[in-house]
């Protein structure tokens, strides 16, 4: 490679930053949860970067066994530092995010502890809490089985009460009832919160959580009746010991049922919870965190893709400079990368909205108030389903924009994408979750028909417009020019109308269908429409709340507001253009308005393009975290790519001082020296072989 090419890459990235119209550092706190939080989390980043246990330089060269062996020292060091510095749960969670490896105890803190804290009674927490918080108990959350995952009501593992001995007997009655895909279970966990059917005197009370010891606290051997195995290789998360477990008459005390919401007395009397859905609390908590995780994963992908495409030159040559065109200047590339930037912003705002709702829900539940439970369950389900798919698809599209180099692990895209892909399945398979969202919206619609004065939460108030259906069907978009699509009222009304119409059509389809399963496609369309409306409203409200709240804004604040609004408009136009048929099919949009949407998208791409690298900087990712030859801050992609090849074991450990690969004498030399016999076939492919 010529030094001029490397210099040009650095010049290009520097020029990109010079033309940025806002200060990216003013946006960074948004993605860290605020200034104060960012200060703390940056200290954690520095702590990890300085510790050799967490070094990731050779990560791309390691296989599964090596990654697991590398992860165990990380586990020990992480817990040491967590304890030493007294990290908060939020700081500890970020610590594991920044390690950027799905270390085997990840599920202890992201699933086991949250479920224990929320489902165990105060008395139980006094006993178990300190053991779990200090890692004497290393836990996992065992819900998914070989035969069932998302459908909690069909789990087969049983917990049968032995009233005489005051114990539960945990059993896996069938092969399909074996717990499977349970993170931290395979080799690490010594306890599990097991979801099992609660059975008393032959009566099935449904799935409930039980604390089940798995391995000896003395020597880590599996306890009698517990069969545990690591389940084997996976597409991603290769440092995690996802496991398989079966229980054969495993006895635990009656008090090991988590009893905050449901209880069973010494006499075997069952007391039901104040709401049946409280058992889903663990999944709801994880779904909420997955929204933010999706935002940061999209931001990571768009950072790498934007920086690389800004320094990669290909194709048309400028005769004045003799330079090829920056790849990011091609509209077809902008169309594939820049909307992902807008999705990251839209998702982080909805993530914060969901976090606030979930926090309020937890506060209410502690007082016995379940009024928010349905909203929290449905909106976390819908957002999880939509955002994880948006991110999984978007990351892959961004990787493809890297060209051939995107196929290399050195791109920094593949390893984290493979790990992220599981999010579309766990804590509720995405397509299945859309049915829950749609079923809830359909119920609200039917309730409105019976009582048009009923109270609806803000995200679903638009359903009231369906009460007067004749008026609703005559609604049309009020945009009279392309400029009107920059008005939030016009945009929000369009998305509300679309979602409301799909609710009505689902109701009509239900009348004509032979069963709910016939309506899967309608549910998928409706859930997406409803979530897209929520995200666009949260995006707009988030901007106004965070960036348009100054009485006398400075120039920097004005520039920042303008820049963020340009990303909002890009998100609006891209989403509308992608779903254009659904705005057109009932003539809510006219053909002219559809053309304005398409033109608006092209205009939005042009407006965002000069700030693209600035936006990639605003996410605050360090080069250590990105671990990407192509997406480094300095733009020297080719230089870093070549340097990474030097660390390839085939170029070091398996090559001698003369540059000859291992196996040459035994396997290659006989070929080259004609020692394996002549080729007896015909090179043209005609005729038959001698088999």
């Amino acid at each position: 490679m010529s030094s001029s090419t490397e210099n040009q890459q650095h010049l290009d990235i520097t020029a990109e930053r010079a033309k940025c119209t806002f200060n990216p550092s003013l946006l960074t706190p948004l993605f860290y949860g605020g200034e104060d939080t960012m200060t703390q989390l940056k200290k954690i980043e520095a702590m990890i970067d300085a510790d050799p246990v967490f070094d990731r330089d050779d990560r791309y060269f390691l296989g599964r066994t090596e990654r697991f062996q590398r992860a165990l020292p990380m586990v020990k060091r992480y817990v040491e530092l967590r304890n030493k510095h007294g990290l908060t749960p939020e700081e500890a969670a970020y610590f594991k995010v920044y390690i950027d490896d799905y270390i085997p105890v990840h599920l202890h803190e992201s699933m086991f502890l949250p479920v224990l804290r929320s489902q165990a009674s105060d008395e139980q927490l006094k006993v178990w809490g300190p053991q779990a918080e200090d890692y004497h108990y290393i836990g996992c959350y065992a819900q998914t089985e070989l035969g069932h995952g998302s459908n909690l009501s069909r789990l087969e593992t049983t917990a049968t009460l032995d009233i005489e001995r005051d114990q539960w007997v945990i059993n896996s009655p069938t092969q399909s009832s074996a717990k499977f895909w349970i993170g931290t279970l395979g080799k690490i966990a010594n306890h599990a919160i097991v979801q099992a059917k609660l059975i008393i005197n032959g009566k099935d009370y449904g799935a409930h959580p039980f604390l089940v010891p798995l391995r000896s606290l003395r020597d880590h051997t599996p306890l009698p009746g517990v069969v545990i195995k690591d389940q084997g290789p996976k597409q991603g998360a290769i440092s995690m010991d996802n496991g398989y477990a079966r229980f054969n008459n495993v006895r635990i005390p009656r008090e090991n049922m988590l009893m905050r919401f449901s209880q069973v007395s010494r006499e075997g009397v069952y007391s039901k919870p104040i709401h049946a859905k409280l058992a889903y609390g663990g999944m709801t908590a994880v779904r909420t965190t997955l929204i933010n995780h999706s935002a940061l994963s999209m931001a990571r992908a768009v950072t790498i893709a934007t920086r690389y495409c800004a320094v990669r030159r290909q194709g048309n040559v400028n005769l004045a400079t003799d330079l090829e065109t920056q790849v990011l200047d091609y509209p077809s590339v902008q169309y594939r990368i820049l909307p992902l930037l807008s999705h990251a912003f839209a998702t982080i705002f909805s993530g914060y909205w969901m976090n606030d709702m979930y926090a309020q829900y937890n506060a209410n539940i502690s007082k016995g108030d379940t009024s928010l439970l349905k909203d929290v369950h449905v909106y976390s389900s819908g957002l999880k389903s939509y955002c994880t798919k948006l991110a999984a698809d978007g990351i892959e599209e961004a990787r493809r924009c890297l060209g051939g180099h995107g196929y290399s692990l050195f791109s920094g895209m593949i390893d984290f994408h493979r790990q992220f892909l599981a999010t579309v399945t766990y804590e509720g398979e995405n397509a299945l979750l859309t049915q829950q969202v749609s079923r809830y919206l359909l119920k609200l619609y039917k309730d409105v028909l019976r009582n048009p004065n009923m109270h609806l939460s803000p995200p679903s108030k638009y359903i009231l417009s369906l009460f007067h259906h004749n008026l609703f069907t005559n609604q049309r978009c009020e945009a009279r020019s392309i400029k009107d699509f920059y008005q939030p009222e016009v945009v929000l009304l369009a998305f509300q109308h679309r979602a409301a119409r799909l609710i009505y059509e689902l109701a009509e389809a239900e009348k004509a269908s032979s069963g709910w399963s016939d309506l899967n496609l309608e549910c998928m369309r409706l859930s997406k429409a409803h979530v897209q409306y929520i995200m666009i409203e949260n995006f707009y409200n988030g901007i106004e709340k965070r960036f348009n709240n100054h009485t006398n804004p400075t120039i920097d604040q004005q520039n920042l507001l303008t820049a963020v609004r340009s990303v909002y408009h890009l998100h609006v136009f891209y989403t509308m253009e992608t779903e254009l048929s659904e705005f057109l099919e009932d003539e809510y949009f006219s053909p002219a308005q559809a053309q304005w949407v398409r033109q608006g998208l092209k205009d939005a791409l042009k407006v965002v393009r000069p700030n693209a690298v600035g936006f990639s900087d605003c996410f605050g990712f360090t080069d250590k975290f990105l671990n990407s030859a192509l997406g480094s801050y300095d733009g020297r992609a080719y230089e870093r790519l070549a340097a990474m090849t030097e660390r390839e074991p085939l170029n070091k450990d398996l090559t001698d001082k003369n540059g000859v690969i291992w196996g040459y004498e035994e396997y290659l030399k006989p070929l080259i020296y004609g020692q394996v016999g002549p080729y007896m076939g015909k090179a043209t492919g005609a005729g038959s072989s001698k088999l």
Side-chain angles (χ1 to χ4, degrees), residues 484-496:
D484 289 333
F485 279 112
Y486 290 87
Q487 302 302 317
E489 297 83 5
V490 172
V491 170
L492 292 175
L493 282 173
F495 278 91
Q496 288 172 355

Side-chain angles (χ1 to χ4, degrees), residues 529-585:
H530 182 67
V531 171
Q532 286 176 339
Y533 158 62
I534 290 175
M535 290 185 66
I536 285 174
E537 184 168 52
N538 287 335
F539 197 166
Y540 176 78
N541 290 340
I543 291 174
E544 295 304 299
K545 178 181 177 181
R546 292 172 181 265
F547 303 113
N548 194 23
N549 57 358
H550 307 286
T551 305
N552 295 300
T554 64
I555 294 296
D556 276 351
Q557 290 167 341
Q558 292 178 39
N559 291 341
L560 182 62
L561 178 61
T562 300
V564 178
R565 279 179 172 166
S566 73
V567 178
Y568 164 76
H569 293 309
L570 173 58
H571 183 72
V572 167
F573 281 118
Y574 181 86
T575 306
M576 277 189 171
E577 199 257 1
T578 303
E579 312 296 342
L580 204 49
S581 64
E582 292 188 354
F583 293 101
L584 283 166
E585 61 186 1

Side-chain angles (χ1 to χ4, degrees), residues 257-290:
M257 169 189 167
L258 274 58
M259 295 194 189
R260 178 171 295 277
F261 302 116
S262 305
Q263 298 84 35
V264 174
S265 70
R266 176 65 183 88
E267 296 73 28
V269 177
Y270 176 77
S271 299
K272 66 181 182 180
I274 55 178
H275 198 295
K277 294 290 186 182
L278 289 171
Y280 293 82
M283 288 194 293
T284 301
V286 177
R287 287 169 187 164
T288 300
T289 64
L290 285 176

Side-chain angles (χ1 to χ4, degrees), residues 345-617:
F345 273 86
T347 305
I348 200 68
F349 281 118
S350 280
Y352 289 147
W353 175 79
M354 194 67 241
N355 289 346
D356 290 343
M357 184 186 295
Y358 187 69
Q360 185 61 56
Y361 157 77
N362 279 330
N364 292 356
I365 285 292
S366 66
K367 303 171 187 175
D369 178 2
T370 63
S371 59
L372 274 178
L373 193 151
K374 288 185 179 179
D375 276 0
V376 166
H377 172 66
V378 167
Y379 296 139
S380 66
S381 298
L383 283 165
K384 181 270 179 185
S385 172
Y386 181 74
C387 294
T388 54
K389 184 180 187 304
L390 192 67
D393 294 346
I395 296 166
E396 171 60 14
E397 191 63 33
R399 186 198 65 78
R400 293 178 184 181
C401 287
L402 303 178
H405 295 326
Y407 196 63
S408 168
L409 286 178
F410 299 156
S411 69
M413 287 282 208
I414 295 173
D415 194 58
F416 93 88
H417 185 218
R418 288 190 304 202
Q419 182 169 306
F420 183 85
L421 284 174
T423 65
V424 304
T425 304
Y426 65 70
E427 307 318 317
E429 195 279 325
N430 279 359
L432 181 63
L433 290 179
T434 65
Q435 295 181 48
Q436 299 181 26
V437 176
S438 298
R439 193 187 295 272
Y440 179 62
L441 295 174
L442 183 60
K443 179 183 181 300
L444 292 181
Y445 167 62
K446 293 176 180 177
D447 291 344
V448 164
L449 293 183
R450 288 189 290 267
N451 177 17
N453 297 316
M454 70 175 290
H455 171 75
L456 293 177
S457 60
S460 54
K461 278 188 176 180
Y462 67 84
I463 298 175
L464 294 170
S465 66
L466 287 170
F467 183 74
H468 299 289
H469 190 254
N470 289 336
L471 294 177
F472 176 82
T473 56
N474 289 322
Q475 289 180 1
R476 296 293 181 269
C477 178
E478 296 181 357
R480 296 295 173 261
S481 72
I482 192 172
K483 292 181 180 179
D484 289 333
F485 279 112
Y486 290 87
Q487 302 302 317
E489 297 83 5
V490 172
V491 170
L492 292 175
L493 282 173
F495 278 91
Q496 288 172 355
H497 177 90
R498 169 188 169 222
R501 177 176 62 81
L502 291 175
I503 293 173
Y504 174 79
E505 291 182 358
L506 176 61
E508 293 300 299
E510 184 188 34
K511 296 175 185 177
S513 73
S514 59
W516 183 254
S517 60
D518 287 345
L519 307 175
N520 285 177
L521 300 183
E522 288 86 348
C523 289
M524 292 171 69
R525 285 193 287 267
L526 170 55
S527 180
K528 180 169 66 169
H530 182 67
V531 171
Q532 286 176 339
Y533 158 62
I534 290 175
M535 290 185 66
I536 285 174
E537 184 168 52
N538 287 335
F539 197 166
Y540 176 78
N541 290 340
I543 291 174
E544 295 304 299
K545 178 181 177 181
R546 292 172 181 265
F547 303 113
N548 194 23
N549 57 358
H550 307 286
T551 305
N552 295 300
T554 64
I555 294 296
D556 276 351
Q557 290 167 341
Q558 292 178 39
N559 291 341
L560 182 62
L561 178 61
T562 300
V564 178
R565 279 179 172 166
S566 73
V567 178
Y568 164 76
H569 293 309
L570 173 58
H571 183 72
V572 167
F573 281 118
Y574 181 86
T575 306
M576 277 189 171
E577 199 257 1
T578 303
E579 312 296 342
L580 204 49
S581 64
E582 292 188 354
F583 293 101
L584 283 166
E585 61 186 1
D586 71 338
E587 299 182 347
Y588 184 79
F589 276 5
S590 68
Q593 289 168 335
Q595 289 297 321
W596 295 339
V597 168
R598 289 201 169 106
Q599 185 59 49
L601 174 57
K602 294 182 70 172
D603 294 343
L605 290 170
K606 290 178 182 177
V607 172
V608 172
R609 166 62 187 94
N611 287 324
V613 170
F615 279 120
S616 73
D617 292 345

Side-chain angles (χ1 to χ4, degrees), residues 7 60 64 66 157 254 323 328 352 426 520 527 593 660:
N7 289 336
Y60 297 145
R64 187 185 176 224
E66 296 165 310
T157 303
R254 175 180 53 83
L323 292 173
L328 194 57
Y352 289 147
Y426 65 70
N520 285 177
S527 180
Q593 289 168 335
V660 178

Side-chain angles (χ1 to χ4, degrees), residues 236-249:
I238 61 177
S239 300
M240 174 63 72
D241 59 327
N242 293 82
Y244 161 100
R246 291 194 68 174
F247 303 99
N248 182 21
N249 294 322

